[in-house]
Amino acid sequence: MKVAVVGSRRYNNRKKIKEFIYMCIQEFGKDVTIISGGCRQGADYLAKKYALELGAQYEEYPPFHDVHNLYCVLPENCYGKEYNVRYFFVRNKQIAKACDRMAAFVQNGENSPGTLSTLKYAKQYNKRVMVID
């Protein structure tokens, strides 16, 4: 089971993300893979931190202008490109395609265009989604 954890760069409720990932591990066991977009702050950062800390498999889909790392699913030559804002939306679509389910973490009332974009793609691909504040 591949579960995408996405959300705002300002999301900082460590407990909710840790509990969610723990719950996924309890439900799906070693077959769960946590997917994120690899942002170095907010929900993506916490998803990576707790997936690895709790022993889940982890995959990352950073935008193409970021550097490749050992958690990237795509080949190294896809990364290190010149910055382009469009790469964020390509990444959002990749996450939505790759997952079976998606959890979006957004603080109450916060506008997070990237998270909304990822949720939109997930719904287009008929993925099960939940929004957690």
Side-chain angles (χ1 to χ4, degrees), residues 3-9 11 17 20-21 34-39 41-48 58-59 61 91-96 99 101-107 112-120 122 129-133:
V3 180
V5 175
V6 300
S8 163
R9 289 184 180 109
Y11 192 86
I17 291 183
F20 177 79
I21 292 172
I34 303 299
I35 298 173
S36 98
C39 187
Q41 57 197 15
D44 287 8
Y45 166 77
L46 295 172
K48 180 177 187 175
Y58 176 75
E59 293 180 0
Y61 290 86
R91 179 263 319 263
N92 296 344
K93 194 172 192 176
Q94 290 171 328
I95 291 169
C99 74
R101 296 180 182 184
M102 180 177 293
F105 290 84
V106 180
Q107 291 172 333
S112 179
T115 305
L116 293 175
S117 162
T118 312
L119 284 168
K120 179 188 81 166
V129 299
M130 64 175 53
V131 178
I132 302 167
D133 66 2

Side-chain angles (χ1 to χ4, degrees), residues 15-76:
K15 183 178 180 189
K16 279 192 180 180
I17 291 183
K18 186 174 186 177
E19 286 175 352
F20 177 79
I21 292 172
Y22 181 78
M23 179 193 71
C24 289
I25 293 168
Q26 292 300 302
E27 185 173 347
F28 303 113
K30 294 191 183 289
D31 293 331
V32 71
T33 300
I34 303 299
I35 298 173
S36 98
C39 187
R40 291 173 193 89
Q41 57 197 15
D44 287 8
Y45 166 77
L46 295 172
K48 180 177 187 175
K49 174 181 175 41
Y50 293 121
L52 297 175
E53 220 174 81
L54 295 170
Q57 297 176 68
Y58 176 75
E59 293 180 0
E60 197 164 279
Y61 290 86
F64 296 142
H65 51 258
D66 275 5
V67 294
H68 184 270
N69 67 60
L70 77 126
Y71 302 108
C72 291
V73 176
L74 300 175
E76 189 172 351

